[in-house]
Amino acid sequence: MSARQNIALALGLLVVLAAIPLLTSSRYVLGQFILFFIWFGVVTQWNLVFGVAGIFSLAQMMIFAVGGYASAMLAFHLQWAMWLTVIVGGCAAVVTSTVIGFATLRLRGAYVALLTLAIAAAMQALIIADTDCLSFETGTCITLTGGASGLSRFGDFGFRELLGYRSAVLGEYYLGLLLITVGSAFAFLIINSPLGHAFRALRDNSACAAARGIDRIKYQVMVFSLAGFFSGLLGGFYAGHFNAIGPSILDFSTLLFLLTSMIVGGVGRFWGPLAGCAAMMLFDELLMGLEEWRAVGLGVFTVVAVILFPQGIVGFLESGELRRIGSQLTGLSAQIHHFVKKAPGQ
Amino acid sequence: MNADVRAPLLSCQNVTKRFGALTAVDALSFDVGAGEVLGIGGPNGAGKTTLFDVMSGVVPASSGRIEFLGQDITWLPPYRICAAGLARTFQLNAAFDSLTTLENVLCSAYFGRREVTLPKLAYDRETKDRVDGIIESTGLASVRKRRADSLTVLQRKQLMIACALATEPALLLLDEPVGGLNPKEIDQTIDLIQRVRTEWSTTIVVIEHVMRCLVALCDRVMIMHHGRKIYEGSAAGVGTDPQVVEVYLGQWAAHRLQHLIAEQQTHA
């Protein structure tokens, strides 16, 4: 697709998404869309590291959690405004992500996955183990991170006062939409710039890339830093939207759900995260009534998707495979037509 | 005569590369003068590709010194050596498979010519124009928009040369540029390398087993065996050197080589 086609498609989608609140006022539907914005935004940034640069980092939810926790803690303990803490959360995530980038430099492939997963697990364990009381102000023990039960009721973006209780969700819906629009534009610019080509060159053949002037250390750290900012912002947005954050966002199941979304959509492709998150969340929604079979259903869906589209949904659409099947079907129908016409004569 | 007085473009002094007990390159010394084409031959395992790896910084030398344009590049990382003006191609067809032909050359031109502190969001016009010229003259114009992994063997070889040229090298190292090609493609590639030499005035070191290619291209030939230099001189002398015939060419190939050289001399 040319840049112009990409922009046209993005604008079309943006108009549709912006019009959704006009079609429904269901708080549940809008809430699910906000959650979709968050996951889609997180996977878009993760895709830069995991897909475009080909570094198998599983630290993405941890970077998201750093953003979320930084904003929640500042709002909770210091009563900072949520708008400000979200920005600080984004910056904290950049720093964390950069450090993780440095930590992975000497590792390759699956070892990067192991290290980053261990870092994320350590963060979760540290939060759960945090039981030291910071203060006893209201007679209850308040810990720094909130421990196993997390932090809550620390404030939100103020849409409730501004728009009233019933319409507050609208404010958050459009804020989420703004975040993913800017985050996606950022990812698009990177993927199609010299920087994106350097990331892909290192992924495809790092020895050859080095011999063409591309410094692996520099660009590997850089991709982590770049992907950190919007991940952290979205973490803060998550905390502000739910007015709560807990260690369960570091659960392996969430990470796996998002990783699967990226793979189903198409790893390393700009439209992959959108297609993947939309497909996975839609399917998850359909399985809602199945209770304990929901996870199994999602697993089966993933297996079928990966077998049918090894390059992801977007990879399949871009490969021209669709056109090939189309022309085969036309050929087949022509043959049947021919056969049917000939048959009575025989 | 002046060329002999000038300092060589590249000078290797006692370059050694050991992998454990194996000495792949053994105290090798040689010079490459500006504008010349040096051919390197020798049996498999002689250390030819390892020598290129050491020169281009892909693997560090164990000892010795490599000077390029008066600068000690022995311990520089590969991306610095590339920016300094020494580019190489690989024996296996190395390219960035998921990028198109155009993107491969663009990204080599952008990052390889000089050190880039912070990349911009788009390629500048000058880089684009230069890349268009290189794609045109390396015969890749018809496949500009194709992904590198969909190219033929010949096109991938051409792409590798195009990417190396895009970094504007003063010295180009070619590792078996015609390996795996058919006779017609070999002629095309020899022609391309000769054009590189004249149009870009690039100095070239080429590793090749195909003697026809060495004879056609090289001013001087060096034959390696067990990491050492066993012959250095004219291409014509290769076939008459008893040690080279013994360890590398064999009687039959040496005989054919003499024919080839005689043929070339009558053509000239």
Side-chain angles (χ1 to χ4, degrees), chain B residues 7 17 24 27 35 58 73 97 100 155-156 175 206 210 230 252:
Chain B
K17 178 66 202 177
V58 172
I73 61 160
D97 283 346
T100 63
Q155 285 164 345
R156 283 175 70 93
D175 197 348
V206 52
V210 178
I230 59 167
W252 187 75

Side-chain angles (χ1 to χ4, degrees), chain B residues 49-95:
Chain B
T49 296
T50 306
L51 175 67
F52 270 20
D53 286 348
V54 170
M55 286 162 72
S56 60
V58 172
V59 299
S62 303
S63 64
R65 184 182 160 86
I66 304 166
E67 246 177 61
F68 175 64
L69 287 166
Q71 184 193 0
D72 182 1
I73 61 160
T74 324
W75 309 109
L76 288 186
Y79 58 89
R80 285 248 165 84
I81 293 181
C82 175
L86 194 159
R88 69 170 293 184
T89 66
F90 293 83
Q91 196 172 353
L92 297 171
N93 292 327

Side-chain angles (χ1 to χ4, degrees), chain B residues 12 34 96 106 162 191 207 210 233 249:
Chain B
C12 288
F96 310 130
L106 267 174
D191 181 56
I207 293 176
V210 178
L249 288 177

